[in-house]
Amino acid sequence: VIKEECVEEFLEVMMTNAARSQEEPGCLHFEVMRDKADPCKFISYEVFTSQEAMDIHKEKAYVKAWGAFQYGDKKPVLEKRLLKTGAIECQAATGPTQKRR
């Protein structure tokens, strides 16, 4: 959940993060979704090919920009839950927003 006065900046930072992340060879999927009932609530969903791909991802400027925003003086994140899992076998359908690797 993001502070209402920080939502526009959040969207700018996070959508840049998502778009640039999807260009990374190790990123299979990166989505940012907004709750219809609560416009300050978001879910991001990221899938990478390996831990190495995630480590490379974390060093990118746009990921660091998200970190700077998230932990900056405005303290824009009111609530955050993180679920991190290891290897998950999944079969992804291909479509206009998905890429097959």
Side-chain angles (χ1 to χ4, degrees), residues 5-94:
E5 64 270 19
C6 297
V7 167
E8 289 304 315
E9 186 178 359
F10 166 81
L11 285 169
E12 182 180 319
V13 170
M14 196 56 141
M15 297 311 286
T16 298
N17 185 8
R20 298 289 307 277
S21 295
Q22 289 175 353
E23 296 170 358
E24 295 176 38
C27 180
L28 295 175
H29 202 77
F30 194 125
E31 291 289 330
V32 178
M33 297 164 274
R34 190 175 200 171
D35 190 296
K36 286 184 177 182
D38 182 352
C40 294
K41 186 176 182 179
F42 296 85
I43 296 172
S44 66
Y45 175 75
E46 305 171 43
V47 180
F48 290 87
T49 57
S50 65
Q51 183 62 49
E52 180 184 13
M54 286 179 63
D55 292 343
I56 292 167
H57 168 73
K58 290 176 186 177
E59 294 303 316
K60 301 293 185 180
Y62 43 90
V63 177
K64 290 182 178 188
W66 158 242
F69 170 76
Q70 180 178 196
Y71 299 113
D73 293 338
K74 295 178 186 177
K75 304 290 184 218
V77 180
L78 297 174
E79 181 183 337
K80 178 180 173 180
R81 285 181 255 161
L82 178 65
L83 173 62
K84 191 173 184 179
T85 64
I88 295 178
E89 191 75 28
C90 67
Q91 299 294 319
T94 57

